[in-house]
Amino acid sequence: MKTSSGGAGGGRPSSSSAPTYSWAPTTSVSASGKRIHREMVELNNDPPPHCSAGPKGDNLYHWIATIIGPPGTAYQGGIFFLDIIFPSDYPFNPPQVVFKTRIYHCNVGTDGHVSLGMLKDGWSPALTITKVLTAIRSLLTNPDPYNAVVPGIAHLYLENKAKHDLVAGEWTARFAK
Amino acid sequence: MVSEDQKRSPRNQKYPATEGNGQSQNLNDAVFSPRFKSAAAMAGWDEEALLLASLVVEDTPDRDFKHKKRSVLNSKTPPTNSRRKRRAQSSPESIRVAVLDLDEEDTPRKDSGKKTKEKKATVNEESKEGGKESGVAALPCIDKLRDELSCAICLEICFEPSTTPCGHSFCKKCLRSAADKCGKKCPKCRQLIGNGRSCTVNTVLWNTIQLLFPQEVEARKAAGAINSRQQSKCLSPEAAFYNNLRNGESTTTRGGVSTRRSSGRAAAITDQEARRLQGVRSRRGITPATQTEDAAIALRLQREEFMQAFRGTQEQHHSSRSSSVDLARENLRAMASRAMSLRIRDRRF
């Protein structure tokens, strides 16, 4: 579900208030904007399997992404939408990734925030959205109950995986299809 | 072997022509490999030119020899040496014919040889040769090279690459800001990186990149210049004003071709302007003009000129527009004087 990307790099954070700014070059974008644009191009050229991402509107710093539930898991067949918000000093700070589709997962909070080391202290500027999406997808395959944000789901996952999968499958059918 | 004979044939044809200087020939045998000599013979270089070339490249690694050989094999003109060219032109006709005959059968074989040699060579050497030679685009592995040589932080070709102790390279600026904002760890492998090391440019890599991707590097340099200007904008309102002016300057000069045509009247006006400003300065007892002020004045001159030209073209069709141009000019003037007074106030405090 790519929103109209079309190279519309409209996200220029620099303000243009003074009248003399009209002479300022319009081609220069901030370093973060450039990097995000480049990631967008690379994502379009070589999309990761079962994932897609692109700017939501004309704001380069606000993306929407989809992950297709990996087959063989409780999330199979579901299409999960995520919001990605890039900080202005990206890539030196991690992007904020939020599940917009409800998901029964011990590492995804009720508000949709993903608890993933990569998106917190484990962030590195060499990581890209492609890698983040791949990591989230592998988190769907292998939940990490020991670093859970929803302890109840983590407990169920550890004690009765069959039941956990059943509930997760119900949620997937209800919210993600 | 056929190829051996082919290689030797130009020499055999050539030696009778240059038999006179047997001494230098002996010397050459010690200095040059037979392969090189056959290639040189194909290009029509005589022994003296070869000796001269050997003196020139004596202290450079053999990659230069390779380069020379290859450029000959590709049947391009030899490196820009007028003397060599002259010799090549004056060489006997028989050699020319031999070269043409050889080219048809021999070049494909040698090309494949060249490719294997390239594979053996390190990435750096390969890329350097590629840069010196015909087109960078001619390199088959240019996309891979682009991936290899791009910075993982900005995802562009490394600009002034700096290599961490763990062996990963990033743009110097990128690495420095990563160390500032994300801790002193390698962005790729999270190994600790020292402080001092992160500031040195890996010169070999940087030269390689400059040879391989000259356009990208140039674009980056230009962008860097603009960015640094924009960053300095935030310093103070006054600095912002002058920086703005200078930014404008860079863009207005682009359209300078049309502005040049404007009448001398604009120049006269702007001259007056400059003198007026000077007068203001001296009257208020301000220290002599600094560079930024001069730049600002220069820009104003240009801008006036531009306005003049703009008005000149507009007046023909819409005479009513000229008032708006006048308005803009007044605005500009007012802004300039405001900035001046700001500056003066700053000085006083």
Side-chain angles (χ1 to χ4, degrees), chain A residues 20-21 23 34-35 38-39 91-92 122 124-126, chain B residues 152-153 155-156 177-178 182 187 190 233 244 251 335:
Chain A
T20 44
Y21 272 68
W23 272 289
K34 257 190 209 160
R35 147 110 190 202
R38 200 161 263 273
E39 273 196 48
F92 301 111
S124 151
Chain B
I153 297 174
L155 303 180
E156 287 180 55
S177 33
C182 306
R190 299 178 204 274
K233 236 185 234 174
N244 247 340
T251 44
M335 257 157 44

mmCIF file with all atom_site columns, all heavy atoms in Angstrom, chain A residues 20-21 23 34-35 38-39 91-92 122 124-126, chain B residues 152-153 155-156 177-178 182 187 190 233 244 251 335:
data_model
loop_
_atom_site.group_PDB
_atom_site.id
_atom_site.type_symbol
_atom_site.label_atom_id
_atom_site.label_alt_id
_atom_site.label_comp_id
_atom_site.label_asym_id
_atom_site.label_entity_id
_atom_site.label_seq_id
_atom_site.pdbx_PDB_ins_code
_atom_site.Cartn_x
_atom_site.Cartn_y
_atom_site.Cartn_z
_atom_site.occupancy
_atom_site.B_iso_or_equiv
_atom_site.pdbx_formal_charge
_atom_site.auth_seq_id
_atom_site.auth_comp_id
_atom_site.auth_asym_id
_atom_site.auth_atom_id
_atom_site.pdbx_PDB_model_num
ATOM 1   N N   . THR A 1 20  ? 13.319 38.141 1.481  1.00 0.00 ? 20  THR A N   1
ATOM 2   C CA  . THR A 1 20  ? 14.543 37.915 0.718  1.00 0.00 ? 20  THR A CA  1
ATOM 3   C C   . THR A 1 20  ? 14.825 36.436 0.524  1.00 0.00 ? 20  THR A C   1
ATOM 4   O O   . THR A 1 20  ? 15.650 36.077 -0.295 1.00 0.00 ? 20  THR A O   1
ATOM 5   C CB  . THR A 1 20  ? 15.742 38.556 1.422  1.00 0.00 ? 20  THR A CB  1
ATOM 6   O OG1 . THR A 1 20  ? 15.637 38.248 2.801  1.00 0.00 ? 20  THR A OG1 1
ATOM 7   C CG2 . THR A 1 20  ? 15.764 40.051 1.194  1.00 0.00 ? 20  THR A CG2 1
ATOM 8   N N   . TYR A 1 21  ? 14.132 35.577 1.276  1.00 0.00 ? 21  TYR A N   1
ATOM 9   C CA  . TYR A 1 21  ? 14.392 34.148 1.171  1.00 0.00 ? 21  TYR A CA  1
ATOM 10  C C   . TYR A 1 21  ? 14.018 33.601 -0.192 1.00 0.00 ? 21  TYR A C   1
ATOM 11  O O   . TYR A 1 21  ? 14.386 32.515 -0.552 1.00 0.00 ? 21  TYR A O   1
ATOM 12  C CB  . TYR A 1 21  ? 13.612 33.390 2.237  1.00 0.00 ? 21  TYR A CB  1
ATOM 13  C CG  . TYR A 1 21  ? 14.346 33.258 3.528  1.00 0.00 ? 21  TYR A CG  1
ATOM 14  C CD1 . TYR A 1 21  ? 14.594 34.349 4.323  1.00 0.00 ? 21  TYR A CD1 1
ATOM 15  C CD2 . TYR A 1 21  ? 14.815 32.016 3.937  1.00 0.00 ? 21  TYR A CD2 1
ATOM 16  C CE1 . TYR A 1 21  ? 15.270 34.223 5.506  1.00 0.00 ? 21  TYR A CE1 1
ATOM 17  C CE2 . TYR A 1 21  ? 15.503 31.888 5.120  1.00 0.00 ? 21  TYR A CE2 1
ATOM 18  C CZ  . TYR A 1 21  ? 15.718 32.990 5.911  1.00 0.00 ? 21  TYR A CZ  1
ATOM 19  O OH  . TYR A 1 21  ? 16.394 32.855 7.079  1.00 0.00 ? 21  TYR A OH  1
ATOM 20  N N   . TRP A 1 23  ? 15.125 34.239 -2.800 1.00 0.00 ? 23  TRP A N   1
ATOM 21  C CA  . TRP A 1 23  ? 16.308 34.023 -3.617 1.00 0.00 ? 23  TRP A CA  1
ATOM 22  C C   . TRP A 1 23  ? 17.098 32.795 -3.179 1.00 0.00 ? 23  TRP A C   1
ATOM 23  O O   . TRP A 1 23  ? 17.989 32.348 -3.851 1.00 0.00 ? 23  TRP A O   1
ATOM 24  C CB  . TRP A 1 23  ? 17.230 35.243 -3.562 1.00 0.00 ? 23  TRP A CB  1
ATOM 25  C CG  . TRP A 1 23  ? 16.870 36.238 -4.594 1.00 0.00 ? 23  TRP A CG  1
ATOM 26  C CD1 . TRP A 1 23  ? 17.060 36.113 -5.942 1.00 0.00 ? 23  TRP A CD1 1
ATOM 27  C CD2 . TRP A 1 23  ? 16.277 37.499 -4.406 1.00 0.00 ? 23  TRP A CD2 1
ATOM 28  N NE1 . TRP A 1 23  ? 16.606 37.223 -6.589 1.00 0.00 ? 23  TRP A NE1 1
ATOM 29  C CE2 . TRP A 1 23  ? 16.119 38.104 -5.666 1.00 0.00 ? 23  TRP A CE2 1
ATOM 30  C CE3 . TRP A 1 23  ? 15.852 38.192 -3.282 1.00 0.00 ? 23  TRP A CE3 1
ATOM 31  C CZ2 . TRP A 1 23  ? 15.564 39.356 -5.842 1.00 0.00 ? 23  TRP A CZ2 1
ATOM 32  C CZ3 . TRP A 1 23  ? 15.298 39.442 -3.455 1.00 0.00 ? 23  TRP A CZ3 1
ATOM 33  C CH2 . TRP A 1 23  ? 15.154 40.012 -4.730 1.00 0.00 ? 23  TRP A CH2 1
ATOM 34  N N   . LYS A 1 34  ? 17.284 14.460 2.987  1.00 0.00 ? 34  LYS A N   1
ATOM 35  C CA  . LYS A 1 34  ? 17.988 13.779 1.896  1.00 0.00 ? 34  LYS A CA  1
ATOM 36  C C   . LYS A 1 34  ? 18.063 12.291 2.151  1.00 0.00 ? 34  LYS A C   1
ATOM 37  O O   . LYS A 1 34  ? 17.830 11.470 1.275  1.00 0.00 ? 34  LYS A O   1
ATOM 38  C CB  . LYS A 1 34  ? 19.410 14.346 1.801  1.00 0.00 ? 34  LYS A CB  1
ATOM 39  C CG  . LYS A 1 34  ? 19.594 15.311 0.650  1.00 0.00 ? 34  LYS A CG  1
ATOM 40  C CD  . LYS A 1 34  ? 21.059 15.595 0.520  1.00 0.00 ? 34  LYS A CD  1
ATOM 41  C CE  . LYS A 1 34  ? 21.292 16.969 -0.047 1.00 0.00 ? 34  LYS A CE  1
ATOM 42  N NZ  . LYS A 1 34  ? 22.629 17.453 0.251  1.00 0.00 ? 34  LYS A NZ  1
ATOM 43  N N   . ARG A 1 35  ? 18.412 11.974 3.382  1.00 0.00 ? 35  ARG A N   1
ATOM 44  C CA  . ARG A 1 35  ? 18.578 10.570 3.715  1.00 0.00 ? 35  ARG A CA  1
ATOM 45  C C   . ARG A 1 35  ? 17.243 9.835  3.599  1.00 0.00 ? 35  ARG A C   1
ATOM 46  O O   . ARG A 1 35  ? 17.163 8.737  3.072  1.00 0.00 ? 35  ARG A O   1
ATOM 47  C CB  . ARG A 1 35  ? 19.160 10.455 5.126  1.00 0.00 ? 35  ARG A CB  1
ATOM 48  C CG  . ARG A 1 35  ? 18.725 9.278  5.890  1.00 0.00 ? 35  ARG A CG  1
ATOM 49  C CD  . ARG A 1 35  ? 19.802 8.257  6.118  1.00 0.00 ? 35  ARG A CD  1
ATOM 50  N NE  . ARG A 1 35  ? 19.192 7.054  6.674  1.00 0.00 ? 35  ARG A NE  1
ATOM 51  C CZ  . ARG A 1 35  ? 19.833 6.150  7.361  1.00 0.00 ? 35  ARG A CZ  1
ATOM 52  N NH1 . ARG A 1 35  ? 21.121 6.290  7.549  1.00 0.00 ? 35  ARG A NH1 1
ATOM 53  N NH2 . ARG A 1 35  ? 19.217 5.103  7.829  1.00 0.00 ? 35  ARG A NH2 1
ATOM 54  N N   . ARG A 1 38  ? 16.373 9.278  0.055  1.00 0.00 ? 38  ARG A N   1
ATOM 55  C CA  . ARG A 1 38  ? 17.187 8.217  -0.511 1.00 0.00 ? 38  ARG A CA  1
ATOM 56  C C   . ARG A 1 38  ? 16.667 6.849  -0.090 1.00 0.00 ? 38  ARG A C   1
ATOM 57  O O   . ARG A 1 38  ? 16.626 5.906  -0.879 1.00 0.00 ? 38  ARG A O   1
ATOM 58  C CB  . ARG A 1 38  ? 18.625 8.403  -0.056 1.00 0.00 ? 38  ARG A CB  1
ATOM 59  C CG  . ARG A 1 38  ? 19.632 7.695  -0.906 1.00 0.00 ? 38  ARG A CG  1
ATOM 60  C CD  . ARG A 1 38  ? 20.983 8.296  -0.681 1.00 0.00 ? 38  ARG A CD  1
ATOM 61  N NE  . ARG A 1 38  ? 21.293 9.280  -1.704 1.00 0.00 ? 38  ARG A NE  1
ATOM 62  C CZ  . ARG A 1 38  ? 21.857 8.956  -2.866 1.00 0.00 ? 38  ARG A CZ  1
ATOM 63  N NH1 . ARG A 1 38  ? 22.131 7.702  -3.131 1.00 0.00 ? 38  ARG A NH1 1
ATOM 64  N NH2 . ARG A 1 38  ? 22.121 9.869  -3.753 1.00 0.00 ? 38  ARG A NH2 1
ATOM 65  N N   . GLU A 1 39  ? 16.257 6.772  1.150  1.00 0.00 ? 39  GLU A N   1
ATOM 66  C CA  . GLU A 1 39  ? 15.698 5.503  1.629  1.00 0.00 ? 39  GLU A CA  1
ATOM 67  C C   . GLU A 1 39  ? 14.428 5.161  0.873  1.00 0.00 ? 39  GLU A C   1
ATOM 68  O O   . GLU A 1 39  ? 14.182 4.006  0.545  1.00 0.00 ? 39  GLU A O   1
ATOM 69  C CB  . GLU A 1 39  ? 15.396 5.604  3.127  1.00 0.00 ? 39  GLU A CB  1
ATOM 70  C CG  . GLU A 1 39  ? 16.585 5.260  3.982  1.00 0.00 ? 39  GLU A CG  1
ATOM 71  C CD  . GLU A 1 39  ? 16.177 4.976  5.407  1.00 0.00 ? 39  GLU A CD  1
ATOM 72  O OE1 . GLU A 1 39  ? 15.226 4.213  5.617  1.00 0.00 ? 39  GLU A OE1 1
ATOM 73  O OE2 . GLU A 1 39  ? 16.806 5.533  6.311  1.00 0.00 ? 39  GLU A OE2 1
ATOM 74  N N   . PRO A 1 91  ? 19.241 10.351 10.673 1.00 0.00 ? 91  PRO A N   1
ATOM 75  C CA  . PRO A 1 91  ? 19.199 9.029  11.289 1.00 0.00 ? 91  PRO A CA  1
ATOM 76  C C   . PRO A 1 91  ? 19.895 8.941  12.644 1.00 0.00 ? 91  PRO A C   1
ATOM 77  O O   . PRO A 1 91  ? 20.186 7.843  13.076 1.00 0.00 ? 91  PRO A O   1
ATOM 78  C CB  . PRO A 1 91  ? 19.945 8.195  10.258 1.00 0.00 ? 91  PRO A CB  1
ATOM 79  C CG  . PRO A 1 91  ? 20.989 9.116  9.749  1.00 0.00 ? 91  PRO A CG  1
ATOM 80  C CD  . PRO A 1 91  ? 20.375 10.472 9.775  1.00 0.00 ? 91  PRO A CD  1
ATOM 81  N N   . PHE A 1 92  ? 20.150 10.055 13.282 1.00 0.00 ? 92  PHE A N   1
ATOM 82  C CA  . PHE A 1 92  ? 20.880 9.955  14.542 1.00 0.00 ? 92  PHE A CA  1
ATOM 83  C C   . PHE A 1 92  ? 19.959 9.597  15.703 1.00 0.00 ? 92  PHE A C   1
ATOM 84  O O   . PHE A 1 92  ? 20.421 9.211  16.762 1.00 0.00 ? 92  PHE A O   1
ATOM 85  C CB  . PHE A 1 92  ? 21.642 11.248 14.805 1.00 0.00 ? 92  PHE A CB  1
ATOM 86  C CG  . PHE A 1 92  ? 22.612 11.540 13.702 1.00 0.00 ? 92  PHE A CG  1
ATOM 87  C CD1 . PHE A 1 92  ? 22.431 12.587 12.833 1.00 0.00 ? 92  PHE A CD1 1
ATOM 88  C CD2 . PHE A 1 92  ? 23.698 10.701 13.494 1.00 0.00 ? 92  PHE A CD2 1
ATOM 89  C CE1 . PHE A 1 92  ? 23.304 12.816 11.791 1.00 0.00 ? 92  PHE A CE1 1
ATOM 90  C CE2 . PHE A 1 92  ? 24.578 10.924 12.460 1.00 0.00 ? 92  PHE A CE2 1
ATOM 91  C CZ  . PHE A 1 92  ? 24.383 11.983 11.609 1.00 0.00 ? 92  PHE A CZ  1
ATOM 92  N N   . GLY A 1 122 ? 19.216 0.540  21.133 1.00 0.00 ? 122 GLY A N   1
ATOM 93  C CA  . GLY A 1 122 ? 19.970 -0.223 20.144 1.00 0.00 ? 122 GLY A CA  1
ATOM 94  C C   . GLY A 1 122 ? 19.995 0.416  18.773 1.00 0.00 ? 122 GLY A C   1
ATOM 95  O O   . GLY A 1 122 ? 20.482 -0.176 17.814 1.00 0.00 ? 122 GLY A O   1
ATOM 96  N N   . SER A 1 124 ? 21.055 2.531  15.635 1.00 0.00 ? 124 SER A N   1
ATOM 97  C CA  . SER A 1 124 ? 22.323 2.952  15.050 1.00 0.00 ? 124 SER A CA  1
ATOM 98  C C   . SER A 1 124 ? 21.993 3.711  13.766 1.00 0.00 ? 124 SER A C   1
ATOM 99  O O   . SER A 1 124 ? 21.074 3.337  13.042 1.00 0.00 ? 124 SER A O   1
ATOM 100 C CB  . SER A 1 124 ? 23.184 1.740  14.729 1.00 0.00 ? 124 SER A CB  1
ATOM 101 O OG  . SER A 1 124 ? 24.015 2.023  13.635 1.00 0.00 ? 124 SER A OG  1
ATOM 102 N N   . PRO A 1 125 ? 22.726 4.778  13.497 1.00 0.00 ? 125 PRO A N   1
ATOM 103 C CA  . PRO A 1 125 ? 22.426 5.544  12.276 1.00 0.00 ? 125 PRO A CA  1
ATOM 104 C C   . PRO A 1 125 ? 22.605 4.742  10.996 1.00 0.00 ? 125 PRO A C   1
ATOM 105 O O   . PRO A 1 125 ? 22.124 5.160  9.946  1.00 0.00 ? 125 PRO A O   1
ATOM 106 C CB  . PRO A 1 125 ? 23.385 6.730  12.341 1.00 0.00 ? 125 PRO A CB  1
ATOM 107 C CG  . PRO A 1 125 ? 24.307 6.466  13.459 1.00 0.00 ? 125 PRO A CG  1
ATOM 108 C CD  . PRO A 1 125 ? 23.746 5.415  14.317 1.00 0.00 ? 125 PRO A CD  1
ATOM 109 N N   . ALA A 1 126 ? 23.270 3.599  11.104 1.00 0.00 ? 126 ALA A N   1
ATOM 110 C CA  . ALA A 1 126 ? 23.441 2.792  9.901  1.00 0.00 ? 126 ALA A CA  1
ATOM 111 C C   . ALA A 1 126 ? 22.211 1.942  9.606  1.00 0.00 ? 126 ALA A C   1
ATOM 112 O O   . ALA A 1 126 ? 22.147 1.288  8.577  1.00 0.00 ? 126 ALA A O   1
ATOM 113 C CB  . ALA A 1 126 ? 24.675 1.900  10.041 1.00 0.00 ? 126 ALA A CB  1
ATOM 114 N N   . ALA B 2 152 ? 27.006 4.632  5.265  1.00 0.00 ? 152 ALA B N   1
ATOM 115 C CA  . ALA B 2 152 ? 25.794 4.003  5.790  1.00 0.00 ? 152 ALA B CA  1
ATOM 116 C C   . ALA B 2 152 ? 24.910 5.003  6.510  1.00 0.00 ? 152 ALA B C   1
ATOM 117 O O   . ALA B 2 152 ? 23.751 4.721  6.762  1.00 0.00 ? 152 ALA B O   1
ATOM 118 C CB  . ALA B 2 152 ? 26.170 2.870  6.731  1.00 0.00 ? 152 ALA B CB  1
ATOM 119 N N   . ILE B 2 153 ? 25.438 6.167  6.815  1.00 0.00 ? 153 ILE B N   1
ATOM 120 C CA  . ILE B 2 153 ? 24.649 7.141  7.581  1.00 0.00 ? 153 ILE B CA  1
ATOM 121 C C   . ILE B 2 153 ? 23.846 8.032  6.645  1.00 0.00 ? 153 ILE B C   1
ATOM 122 O O   . ILE B 2 153 ? 22.645 8.182  6.791  1.00 0.00 ? 153 ILE B O   1
ATOM 123 C CB  . ILE B 2 153 ? 25.565 7.960  8.501  1.00 0.00 ? 153 ILE B CB  1
ATOM 124 C CG1 . ILE B 2 153 ? 26.213 7.018  9.522  1.00 0.00 ? 153 ILE B CG1 1
ATOM 125 C CG2 . ILE B 2 153 ? 24.776 9.043  9.212  1.00 0.00 ? 153 ILE B CG2 1
ATOM 126 C CD1 . ILE B 2 153 ? 27.234 7.646  10.395 1.00 0.00 ? 153 ILE B CD1 1
ATOM 127 N N   . LEU B 2 155 ? 23.809 7.557  3.314  1.00 0.00 ? 155 LEU B N   1
ATOM 128 C CA  . LEU B 2 155 ? 23.486 6.707  2.161  1.00 0.00 ? 155 LEU B CA  1
ATOM 129 C C   . LEU B 2 155 ? 23.964 7.299  0.838  1.00 0.00 ? 155 LEU B C   1
ATOM 130 O O   . LEU B 2 155 ? 23.500 6.907  -0.226 1.00 0.00 ? 155 LEU B O   1
ATOM 131 C CB  . LEU B 2 155 ? 21.986 6.424  2.078  1.00 0.00 ? 155 LEU B CB  1
ATOM 132 C CG  . LEU B 2 155 ? 21.356 5.769  3.309  1.00 0.00 ? 155 LEU B CG  1
ATOM 133 C CD1 . LEU B 2 155 ? 19.879 5.542  3.083  1.00 0.00 ? 155 LEU B CD1 1
ATOM 134 C CD2 . LEU B 2 155 ? 22.025 4.460  3.635  1.00 0.00 ? 155 LEU B CD2 1
ATOM 135 N N   . GLU B 2 156 ? 24.866 8.279  0.906  1.00 0.00 ? 156 GLU B N   1
ATOM 136 C CA  . GLU B 2 156 ? 25.433 8.816  -0.317 1.00 0.00 ? 156 GLU B CA  1
ATOM 137 C C   . GLU B 2 156 ? 26.888 8.396  -0.404 1.00 0.00 ? 156 GLU B C   1
ATOM 138 O O   . GLU B 2 156 ? 27.431 7.813  0.528  1.00 0.00 ? 156 GLU B O   1
ATOM 139 C CB  . GLU B 2 156 ? 25.309 10.341 -0.311 1.00 0.00 ? 156 GLU B CB  1
ATOM 140 C CG  . GLU B 2 156 ? 23.880 10.778 -0.544 1.00 0.00 ? 156 GLU B CG  1
ATOM 141 C CD  . GLU B 2 156 ? 23.737 12.280 -0.531 1.00 0.00 ? 156 GLU B CD  1
ATOM 142 O OE1 . GLU B 2 156 ? 24.444 12.940 -1.297 1.00 0.00 ? 156 GLU B OE1 1
ATOM 143 O OE2 . GLU B 2 156 ? 22.934 12.770 0.258  1.00 0.00 ? 156 GLU B OE2 1
ATOM 144 N N   . SER B 2 177 ? 28.970 13.389 13.772 1.00 0.00 ? 177 SER B N   1
ATOM 145 C CA  . SER B 2 177 ? 27.667 13.646 14.407 1.00 0.00 ? 177 SER B CA  1
ATOM 146 C C   . SER B 2 177 ? 27.103 12.367 15.005 1.00 0.00 ? 177 SER B C   1
ATOM 147 O O   . SER B 2 177 ? 26.388 12.430 16.009 1.00 0.00 ? 177 SER B O   1
ATOM 148 C CB  . SER B 2 177 ? 26.690 14.300 13.436 1.00 0.00 ? 177 SER B CB  1
ATOM 149 O OG  . SER B 2 177 ? 26.881 13.869 12.140 1.00 0.00 ? 177 SER B OG  1
ATOM 150 N N   . ALA B 2 178 ? 27.423 11.229 14.408 1.00 0.00 ? 178 ALA B N   1
ATOM 151 C CA  . ALA B 2 178 ? 26.965 9.972  15.004 1.00 0.00 ? 178 ALA B CA  1
ATOM 152 C C   . ALA B 2 178 ? 27.621 9.787  16.364 1.00 0.00 ? 178 ALA B C   1
ATOM 153 O O   . ALA B 2 178 ? 26.967 9.369  17.334 1.00 0.00 ? 178 ALA B O   1
ATOM 154 C CB  . ALA B 2 178 ? 27.311 8.810  14.085 1.00 0.00 ? 178 ALA B CB  1
ATOM 155 N N   . CYS B 2 182 ? 24.975 9.627  19.155 1.00 0.00 ? 182 CYS B N   1
ATOM 156 C CA  . CYS B 2 182 ? 24.625 8.237  19.447 1.00 0.00 ? 182 CYS B CA  1
ATOM 157 C C   . CYS B 2 182 ? 25.711 7.517  20.239 1.00 0.00 ? 182 CYS B C   1
ATOM 158 O O   . CYS B 2 182 ? 25.733 6.302  20.286 1.00 0.00 ? 182 CYS B O   1
ATOM 159 C CB  . CYS B 2 182 ? 24.357 7.478  18.144 1.00 0.00 ? 182 CYS B CB  1
ATOM 160 S SG  . CYS B 2 182 ? 23.143 8.260  17.117 1.00 0.00 ? 182 CYS B SG  1
ATOM 161 N N   . PRO B 2 187 ? 28.714 2.892  14.010 1.00 0.00 ? 187 PRO B N   1
ATOM 162 C CA  . PRO B 2 187 ? 27.307 2.699  13.634 1.00 0.00 ? 187 PRO B CA  1
ATOM 163 C C   . PRO B 2 187 ? 27.046 1.328  13.026 1.00 0.00 ? 187 PRO B C   1
ATOM 164 O O   . PRO B 2 187 ? 25.919 0.838  13.065 1.00 0.00 ? 187 PRO B O   1
ATOM 165 C CB  . PRO B 2 187 ? 27.060 3.799  12.606 1.00 0.00 ? 187 PRO B CB  1
ATOM 166 C CG  . PRO B 2 187 ? 28.080 4.826  12.905 1.00 0.00 ? 187 PRO B CG  1
ATOM 167 C CD  . PRO B 2 187 ? 29.282 4.074  13.381 1.00 0.00 ? 187 PRO B CD  1
ATOM 168 N N   . ARG B 2 190 ? 29.015 -1.395 16.251 1.00 0.00 ? 190 ARG B N   1
ATOM 169 C CA  . ARG B 2 190 ? 28.879 -0.991 17.652 1.00 0.00 ? 190 ARG B CA  1
ATOM 170 C C   . ARG B 2 190 ? 30.150 -1.147 18.458 1.00 0.00 ? 190 ARG B C   1
ATOM 171 O O   . ARG B 2 190 ? 30.110 -1.164 19.687 1.00 0.00 ? 190 ARG B O   1
ATOM 172 C CB  . ARG B 2 190 ? 27.738 -1.754 18.325 1.00 0.00 ? 190 ARG B CB  1
ATOM 173 C CG  . ARG B 2 190 ? 26.399 -1.494 17.678 1.00 0.00 ? 190 ARG B CG  1
ATOM 174 C CD  . ARG B 2 190 ? 25.332 -2.323 18.354 1.00 0.00 ? 190 ARG B CD  1
ATOM 175 N NE  . ARG B 2 190 ? 24.194 -2.548 17.470 1.00 0.00 ? 190 ARG B NE  1
ATOM 176 C CZ  . ARG B 2 190 ? 23.184 -1.703 17.357 1.00 0.00 ? 190 ARG B CZ  1
ATOM 177 N NH1 . ARG B 2 190 ? 23.163 -0.615 18.055 1.00 0.00 ? 190 ARG B NH1 1
ATOM 178 N NH2 . ARG B 2 190 ? 22.186 -1.957 16.527 1.00 0.00 ? 190 ARG B NH2 1
ATOM 179 N N   . LYS B 2 233 ? 23.408 31.234 9.197  1.00 0.00 ? 233 LYS B N   1
ATOM 180 C CA  . LYS B 2 233 ? 22.287 32.167 9.200  1.00 0.00 ? 233 LYS B CA  1
ATOM 181 C C   . LYS B 2 233 ? 21.697 32.335 10.586 1.00 0.00 ? 233 LYS B C   1
ATOM 182 O O   . LYS B 2 233 ? 21.202 33.389 10.951 1.00 0.00 ? 233 LYS B O   1
ATOM 183 C CB  . LYS B 2 233 ? 21.189 31.597 8.293  1.00 0.00 ? 233 LYS B CB  1
ATOM 184 C CG  . LYS B 2 233 ? 20.779 32.523 7.195  1.00 0.00 ? 233 LYS B CG  1
ATOM 185 C CD  . LYS B 2 233 ? 19.640 31.881 6.479  1.00 0.00 ? 233 LYS B CD  1
ATOM 186 C CE  . LYS B 2 233 ? 19.937 31.785 5.023  1.00 0.00 ? 233 LYS B CE  1
ATOM 187 N NZ  . LYS B 2 233 ? 18.915 31.032 4.316  1.00 0.00 ? 233 LYS B NZ  1
ATOM 188 N N   . ASN B 2 244 ? 21.833 36.034 4.009  1.00 0.00 ? 244 ASN B N   1
ATOM 189 C CA  . ASN B 2 244 ? 20.744 36.008 3.058  1.00 0.00 ? 244 ASN B CA  1
ATOM 190 C C   . ASN B 2 244 ? 21.154 36.673 1.771  1.00 0.00 ? 244 ASN B C   1
ATOM 191 O O   . ASN B 2 244 ? 20.944 36.167 0.683  1.00 0.00 ? 244 ASN B O   1
ATOM 192 C CB  . ASN B 2 244 ? 19.586 36.809 3.631  1.00 0.00 ? 244 ASN B CB  1
ATOM 193 C CG  . ASN B 2 244 ? 18.442 35.905 3.937  1.00 0.00 ? 244 ASN B CG  1
ATOM 194 O OD1 . ASN B 2 244 ? 18.385 34.812 3.388  1.00 0.00 ? 244 ASN B OD1 1
ATOM 195 N ND2 . ASN B 2 244 ? 17.573 36.326 4.798  1.00 0.00 ? 244 ASN B ND2 1
ATOM 196 N N   . THR B 2 251 ? 22.599 33.031 -6.346 1.00 0.00 ? 251 THR B N   1
ATOM 197 C CA  . THR B 2 251 ? 21.568 32.629 -7.295 1.00 0.00 ? 251 THR B CA  1
ATOM 198 C C   . THR B 2 251 ? 21.365 33.684 -8.378 1.00 0.00 ? 251 THR B C   1
ATOM 199 O O   . THR B 2 251 ? 21.079 33.349 -9.510 1.00 0.00 ? 251 THR B O   1
ATOM 200 C CB  . THR B 2 251 ? 20.232 32.364 -6.592 1.00 0.00 ? 251 THR B CB  1
ATOM 201 O OG1 . THR B 2 251 ? 20.030 33.407 -5.652 1.00 0.00 ? 251 THR B OG1 1
ATOM 202 C CG2 . THR B 2 251 ? 20.246 31.031 -5.915 1.00 0.00 ? 251 THR B CG2 1
ATOM 203 N N   . MET B 2 335 ? 15.283 47.803 4.141  1.00 0.00 ? 335 MET B N   1
ATOM 204 C CA  . MET B 2 335 ? 15.837 46.674 4.875  1.00 0.00 ? 335 MET B CA  1
ATOM 205 C C   . MET B 2 335 ? 17.312 46.851 5.125  1.00 0.00 ? 335 MET B C   1
ATOM 206 O O   . MET B 2 335 ? 17.814 46.559 6.216  1.00 0.00 ? 335 MET B O   1
ATOM 207 C CB  . MET B 2 335 ? 15.597 45.386 4.098  1.00 0.00 ? 335 MET B CB  1
ATOM 208 C CG  . MET B 2 335 ? 14.465 44.580 4.666  1.00 0.00 ? 335 MET B CG  1
ATOM 209 S SD  . MET B 2 335 ? 13.762 43.501 3.492  1.00 0.00 ? 335 MET B SD  1
ATOM 210 C CE  . MET B 2 335 ? 15.201 42.839 2.757  1.00 0.00 ? 335 MET B CE  1
#
